[in-house]
Amino acid sequence: MAKNEQTSPKAAKAASAVLRDDRTGSKSKTAAGSALSQAPDKGKKSKK
């Protein structure tokens, strides 16, 4: 995967829902965690 590829906000939201759902299996949660690790940060940008 290229360095500049990121998970879309819509996909990140779906992955977050998978991680919060107790009914999903470990393989699904692993894939969702991988997707979220590639999502852009939501926090504020720090000023320097």
Side-chain angles (χ1 to χ4, degrees), residues 1-9 11-13 15 19 30-42:
M1 181 173 271
K3 290 183 182 179
N4 61 350
E5 290 186 16
Q6 294 181 340
T7 303
S8 71
K13 189 172 184 179
L19 289 174
T30 300
S34 177
L36 279 180
S37 71
Q38 297 167 15
D41 293 335
K42 259 182 105 170

Side-chain angles (χ1 to χ4, degrees), residues 15-30:
S16 176
V18 167
L19 289 174
R20 285 184 271 125
D21 190 349
D22 292 335
R23 299 173 293 170
T24 56
S26 64
K27 300 235 182 207
S28 297
K29 289 191 183 219
T30 300

